[in-house]
mmCIF file of all heavy atoms in Angstrom:
data_model
loop_
_atom_site.group_PDB
_atom_site.id
_atom_site.type_symbol
_atom_site.label_atom_id
_atom_site.label_comp_id
_atom_site.label_asym_id
_atom_site.label_seq_id
_atom_site.Cartn_x
_atom_site.Cartn_y
_atom_site.Cartn_z
ATOM 1 N N MET A 451 238.728 -140.058 79.388
ATOM 2 C CA MET A 451 237.663 -139.178 79.860
ATOM 3 C C MET A 451 237.918 -137.742 79.406
ATOM 4 O O MET A 451 237.035 -137.063 78.879
ATOM 5 C CB MET A 451 237.574 -139.216 81.399
ATOM 6 C CG MET A 451 236.844 -140.416 81.951
ATOM 7 S SD MET A 451 235.069 -140.378 81.660
ATOM 8 C CE MET A 451 234.547 -139.260 82.955
ATOM 9 N N LYS A 452 239.125 -137.298 79.654
ATOM 10 C CA LYS A 452 239.478 -135.926 79.306
ATOM 11 C C LYS A 452 239.324 -135.680 77.808
ATOM 12 O O LYS A 452 238.696 -134.723 77.372
ATOM 13 C CB LYS A 452 240.939 -135.667 79.697
ATOM 14 C CG LYS A 452 241.075 -134.602 80.763
ATOM 15 C CD LYS A 452 242.518 -134.189 80.946
ATOM 16 C CE LYS A 452 242.686 -133.610 82.330
ATOM 17 N NZ LYS A 452 244.017 -133.846 82.882
ATOM 18 N N THR A 453 239.899 -136.621 77.038
ATOM 19 C CA THR A 453 239.896 -136.477 75.579
ATOM 20 C C THR A 453 238.477 -136.479 75.025
ATOM 21 O O THR A 453 238.119 -135.640 74.209
ATOM 22 C CB THR A 453 240.699 -137.636 74.953
ATOM 23 O OG1 THR A 453 241.948 -137.737 75.625
ATOM 24 C CG2 THR A 453 240.916 -137.408 73.477
ATOM 25 N N ILE A 454 237.659 -137.426 75.501
ATOM 26 C CA ILE A 454 236.329 -137.568 74.914
ATOM 27 C C ILE A 454 235.453 -136.365 75.247
ATOM 28 O O ILE A 454 234.694 -135.879 74.406
ATOM 29 C CB ILE A 454 235.663 -138.906 75.319
ATOM 30 C CG1 ILE A 454 234.390 -139.161 74.491
ATOM 31 C CG2 ILE A 454 235.282 -138.939 76.785
ATOM 32 C CD1 ILE A 454 234.634 -139.460 73.046
ATOM 33 N N ILE A 455 235.581 -135.861 76.496
ATOM 34 C CA ILE A 455 234.754 -134.695 76.864
ATOM 35 C C ILE A 455 235.166 -133.488 76.021
ATOM 36 O O ILE A 455 234.318 -132.740 75.513
ATOM 37 C CB ILE A 455 234.837 -134.415 78.376
ATOM 38 C CG1 ILE A 455 234.099 -135.528 79.135
ATOM 39 C CG2 ILE A 455 234.222 -133.050 78.715
ATOM 40 C CD1 ILE A 455 234.179 -135.452 80.642
ATOM 41 N N TYR A 456 236.477 -133.375 75.818
ATOM 42 C CA TYR A 456 236.968 -132.288 74.968
ATOM 43 C C TYR A 456 236.377 -132.401 73.560
ATOM 44 O O TYR A 456 235.864 -131.436 73.001
ATOM 45 C CB TYR A 456 238.503 -132.334 74.928
ATOM 46 C CG TYR A 456 239.118 -131.362 73.946
ATOM 47 C CD1 TYR A 456 239.262 -130.009 74.282
ATOM 48 C CD2 TYR A 456 239.541 -131.800 72.681
ATOM 49 C CE1 TYR A 456 239.813 -129.119 73.370
ATOM 50 C CE2 TYR A 456 240.089 -130.918 71.770
ATOM 51 C CZ TYR A 456 240.229 -129.572 72.121
ATOM 52 O OH TYR A 456 240.762 -128.686 71.228
ATOM 53 N N GLU A 457 236.390 -133.622 73.017
ATOM 54 C CA GLU A 457 235.869 -133.853 71.663
ATOM 55 C C GLU A 457 234.362 -133.630 71.586
ATOM 56 O O GLU A 457 233.855 -133.067 70.626
ATOM 57 C CB GLU A 457 236.193 -135.281 71.189
ATOM 58 C CG GLU A 457 237.630 -135.480 70.745
ATOM 59 C CD GLU A 457 237.985 -134.678 69.480
ATOM 60 O OE1 GLU A 457 237.120 -134.552 68.584
ATOM 61 O OE2 GLU A 457 239.124 -134.173 69.414
ATOM 62 N N ILE A 458 233.657 -134.111 72.613
ATOM 63 C CA ILE A 458 232.196 -133.948 72.632
ATOM 64 C C ILE A 458 231.841 -132.464 72.602
ATOM 65 O O ILE A 458 230.963 -132.027 71.858
ATOM 66 C CB ILE A 458 231.593 -134.638 73.883
ATOM 67 C CG1 ILE A 458 231.637 -136.163 73.726
ATOM 68 C CG2 ILE A 458 230.157 -134.183 74.120
ATOM 69 C CD1 ILE A 458 231.303 -136.926 75.013
ATOM 70 N N GLU A 459 232.576 -131.697 73.403
ATOM 71 C CA GLU A 459 232.280 -130.267 73.463
ATOM 72 C C GLU A 459 232.680 -129.568 72.165
ATOM 73 O O GLU A 459 231.970 -128.715 71.649
ATOM 74 C CB GLU A 459 232.981 -129.641 74.686
ATOM 75 C CG GLU A 459 232.322 -130.098 75.988
ATOM 76 C CD GLU A 459 232.943 -129.526 77.253
ATOM 77 O OE1 GLU A 459 233.999 -128.850 77.155
ATOM 78 O OE2 GLU A 459 232.381 -129.776 78.338
ATOM 79 N N LYS A 460 233.848 -129.986 71.609
ATOM 80 C CA LYS A 460 234.342 -129.354 70.386
ATOM 81 C C LYS A 460 233.384 -129.579 69.215
ATOM 82 O O LYS A 460 233.106 -128.682 68.434
ATOM 83 C CB LYS A 460 235.722 -129.930 70.029
ATOM 84 C CG LYS A 460 236.452 -129.082 68.994
ATOM 85 C CD LYS A 460 237.844 -129.589 68.729
ATOM 86 C CE LYS A 460 237.845 -130.647 67.642
ATOM 87 N NZ LYS A 460 239.204 -131.174 67.365
ATOM 88 N N ARG A 461 232.814 -130.776 69.149
ATOM 89 C CA ARG A 461 231.923 -131.106 68.044
ATOM 90 C C ARG A 461 230.473 -130.722 68.324
ATOM 91 O O ARG A 461 229.581 -131.045 67.542
ATOM 92 C CB ARG A 461 231.980 -132.609 67.744
ATOM 93 C CG ARG A 461 233.383 -133.061 67.382
ATOM 94 C CD ARG A 461 233.399 -134.519 67.021
ATOM 95 N NE ARG A 461 234.785 -134.990 66.955
ATOM 96 C CZ ARG A 461 235.155 -136.118 66.350
ATOM 97 N NH1 ARG A 461 234.258 -136.878 65.781
ATOM 98 N NH2 ARG A 461 236.423 -136.471 66.337
ATOM 99 N N GLY A 462 230.242 -130.110 69.480
ATOM 100 C CA GLY A 462 228.889 -129.657 69.802
ATOM 101 C C GLY A 462 227.915 -130.789 70.050
ATOM 102 O O GLY A 462 226.711 -130.664 69.823
ATOM 103 N N LEU A 463 228.434 -131.927 70.510
ATOM 104 C CA LEU A 463 227.566 -133.078 70.745
ATOM 105 C C LEU A 463 227.031 -133.107 72.169
ATOM 106 O O LEU A 463 226.125 -133.879 72.481
ATOM 107 C CB LEU A 463 228.338 -134.372 70.495
ATOM 108 C CG LEU A 463 228.927 -134.534 69.087
ATOM 109 C CD1 LEU A 463 229.905 -135.701 69.061
ATOM 110 C CD2 LEU A 463 227.801 -134.747 68.079
ATOM 111 N N GLY A 464 227.628 -132.280 73.002
ATOM 112 C CA GLY A 464 227.224 -132.300 74.407
ATOM 113 C C GLY A 464 228.257 -131.577 75.236
ATOM 114 O O GLY A 464 229.008 -130.746 74.720
ATOM 115 N N TYR A 465 228.307 -131.902 76.501
ATOM 116 C CA TYR A 465 229.238 -131.200 77.394
ATOM 117 C C TYR A 465 229.497 -132.038 78.642
ATOM 118 O O TYR A 465 228.690 -132.898 79.012
ATOM 119 C CB TYR A 465 228.663 -129.840 77.796
ATOM 120 C CG TYR A 465 227.236 -129.893 78.278
ATOM 121 C CD1 TYR A 465 226.958 -130.037 79.639
ATOM 122 C CD2 TYR A 465 226.167 -129.841 77.372
ATOM 123 C CE1 TYR A 465 225.647 -130.116 80.082
ATOM 124 C CE2 TYR A 465 224.859 -129.916 77.815
ATOM 125 C CZ TYR A 465 224.602 -130.055 79.169
ATOM 126 O OH TYR A 465 223.317 -130.148 79.603
ATOM 127 N N GLY A 466 230.625 -131.775 79.273
ATOM 128 C CA GLY A 466 230.929 -132.426 80.541
ATOM 129 C C GLY A 466 229.949 -131.929 81.586
ATOM 130 O O GLY A 466 229.590 -130.764 81.598
ATOM 131 N N LYS A 467 229.474 -132.836 82.434
ATOM 132 C CA LYS A 467 228.454 -132.421 83.389
ATOM 133 C C LYS A 467 228.590 -133.145 84.713
ATOM 134 O O LYS A 467 228.982 -134.311 84.761
ATOM 135 C CB LYS A 467 227.061 -132.711 82.822
ATOM 136 C CG LYS A 467 225.987 -132.028 83.639
ATOM 137 C CD LYS A 467 224.582 -132.421 83.265
ATOM 138 C CE LYS A 467 223.645 -131.723 84.245
ATOM 139 N NZ LYS A 467 222.293 -132.166 84.201
ATOM 140 N N VAL A 468 228.275 -132.399 85.763
ATOM 141 C CA VAL A 468 228.181 -133.025 87.074
ATOM 142 C C VAL A 468 226.704 -133.254 87.335
ATOM 143 O O VAL A 468 225.896 -132.337 87.221
ATOM 144 C CB VAL A 468 228.774 -132.120 88.164
ATOM 145 C CG1 VAL A 468 228.553 -132.746 89.529
ATOM 146 C CG2 VAL A 468 230.258 -131.908 87.915
ATOM 147 N N ASN A 469 226.350 -134.458 87.651
ATOM 148 C CA ASN A 469 224.949 -134.796 87.890
ATOM 149 C C ASN A 469 224.758 -135.120 89.363
ATOM 150 O O ASN A 469 225.656 -135.659 90.003
ATOM 151 C CB ASN A 469 224.567 -135.999 87.029
ATOM 152 C CG ASN A 469 223.098 -136.016 86.699
ATOM 153 O OD1 ASN A 469 222.517 -134.957 86.450
ATOM 154 N ND2 ASN A 469 222.500 -137.186 86.696
ATOM 155 N N TYR A 470 223.599 -134.780 89.895
ATOM 156 C CA TYR A 470 223.295 -135.114 91.286
ATOM 157 C C TYR A 470 222.058 -135.974 91.342
ATOM 158 O O TYR A 470 221.105 -135.765 90.595
ATOM 159 C CB TYR A 470 223.063 -133.841 92.108
ATOM 160 C CG TYR A 470 224.267 -132.942 92.155
ATOM 161 C CD1 TYR A 470 224.430 -131.924 91.225
ATOM 162 C CD2 TYR A 470 225.241 -133.142 93.122
ATOM 163 C CE1 TYR A 470 225.546 -131.109 91.263
ATOM 164 C CE2 TYR A 470 226.366 -132.326 93.171
ATOM 165 C CZ TYR A 470 226.516 -131.308 92.232
ATOM 166 O OH TYR A 470 227.621 -130.516 92.280
ATOM 167 N N ARG A 471 222.101 -136.912 92.244
ATOM 168 C CA ARG A 471 220.957 -137.778 92.459
ATOM 169 C C ARG A 471 219.848 -137.025 93.203
ATOM 170 O O ARG A 471 218.673 -137.326 93.078
ATOM 171 C CB ARG A 471 221.404 -138.966 93.315
ATOM 172 C CG ARG A 471 220.529 -140.181 93.236
ATOM 173 C CD ARG A 471 221.024 -141.225 94.236
ATOM 174 N NE ARG A 471 220.587 -140.898 95.572
ATOM 175 C CZ ARG A 471 219.631 -141.575 96.216
ATOM 176 N NH1 ARG A 471 219.069 -142.594 95.651
ATOM 177 N NH2 ARG A 471 219.268 -141.226 97.425
ATOM 178 N N LEU A 472 220.272 -136.077 94.024
ATOM 179 C CA LEU A 472 219.339 -135.292 94.842
ATOM 180 C C LEU A 472 218.283 -134.648 93.951
ATOM 181 O O LEU A 472 218.611 -133.929 93.003
ATOM 182 C CB LEU A 472 220.113 -134.203 95.587
ATOM 183 C CG LEU A 472 219.315 -133.312 96.524
ATOM 184 C CD1 LEU A 472 218.834 -134.095 97.729
ATOM 185 C CD2 LEU A 472 220.152 -132.127 96.959
ATOM 186 N N ARG A 473 217.027 -134.911 94.246
ATOM 187 C CA ARG A 473 215.961 -134.319 93.455
ATOM 188 C C ARG A 473 215.287 -133.213 94.223
ATOM 189 O O ARG A 473 215.324 -133.188 95.445
ATOM 190 C CB ARG A 473 214.921 -135.380 93.102
ATOM 191 C CG ARG A 473 215.505 -136.489 92.264
ATOM 192 C CD ARG A 473 214.468 -137.550 92.021
ATOM 193 N NE ARG A 473 215.118 -138.848 91.872
ATOM 194 C CZ ARG A 473 214.450 -139.983 91.821
ATOM 195 N NH1 ARG A 473 213.138 -139.986 91.921
ATOM 196 N NH2 ARG A 473 215.103 -141.125 91.680
ATOM 197 N N ASP A 474 214.633 -132.333 93.486
ATOM 198 C CA ASP A 474 213.884 -131.286 94.153
ATOM 199 C C ASP A 474 212.823 -131.932 95.035
ATOM 200 O O ASP A 474 212.229 -132.949 94.676
ATOM 201 C CB ASP A 474 213.257 -130.345 93.123
ATOM 202 C CG ASP A 474 214.318 -129.454 92.487
ATOM 203 O OD1 ASP A 474 215.326 -129.191 93.174
ATOM 204 O OD2 ASP A 474 214.164 -129.061 91.332
ATOM 205 N N ALA A 475 212.615 -131.340 96.189
ATOM 206 C CA ALA A 475 211.763 -131.970 97.186
ATOM 207 C C ALA A 475 210.316 -131.537 97.018
ATOM 208 O O ALA A 475 210.019 -130.354 97.001
ATOM 209 C CB ALA A 475 212.253 -131.600 98.587
ATOM 210 N N VAL A 476 209.439 -132.525 96.891
ATOM 211 C CA VAL A 476 208.014 -132.210 96.794
ATOM 212 C C VAL A 476 207.552 -131.681 98.159
ATOM 213 O O VAL A 476 207.853 -132.263 99.195
ATOM 214 C CB VAL A 476 207.204 -133.452 96.381
ATOM 215 C CG1 VAL A 476 205.715 -133.129 96.372
ATOM 216 C CG2 VAL A 476 207.646 -133.918 95.013
ATOM 217 N N PHE A 477 206.854 -130.552 98.121
ATOM 218 C CA PHE A 477 206.542 -129.835 99.354
ATOM 219 C C PHE A 477 205.038 -129.815 99.642
ATOM 220 O O PHE A 477 204.604 -129.205 100.600
ATOM 221 C CB PHE A 477 207.088 -128.408 99.233
ATOM 222 C CG PHE A 477 207.269 -127.694 100.538
ATOM 223 C CD1 PHE A 477 208.169 -128.156 101.491
ATOM 224 C CD2 PHE A 477 206.560 -126.536 100.817
ATOM 225 C CE1 PHE A 477 208.351 -127.472 102.695
ATOM 226 C CE2 PHE A 477 206.736 -125.845 102.018
ATOM 227 C CZ PHE A 477 207.626 -126.329 102.961
ATOM 228 N N SER A 478 204.237 -130.463 98.792
ATOM 229 C CA SER A 478 202.785 -130.470 98.998
ATOM 230 C C SER A 478 202.342 -131.785 99.617
ATOM 231 O O SER A 478 202.841 -132.842 99.246
ATOM 232 C CB SER A 478 202.052 -130.324 97.660
ATOM 233 O OG SER A 478 202.291 -129.072 97.100
#
Side-chain angles (χ1 to χ4, degrees):
Chain A
M451 280 289 281
K452 243 190 204 149
T453 311
I454 191 69
I455 290 176
Y456 173 80
E457 283 294 323
I458 287 169
E459 289 180 353
K460 195 175 88 180
R461 301 183 192 197
L463 301 168
Y465 49 92
K467 192 188 176 191
V468 175
N469 207 38
Y470 298 92
R471 201 185 79 108
L472 182 69
R473 298 176 210 171
D474 287 332
V476 176
F477 200 63
S478 294

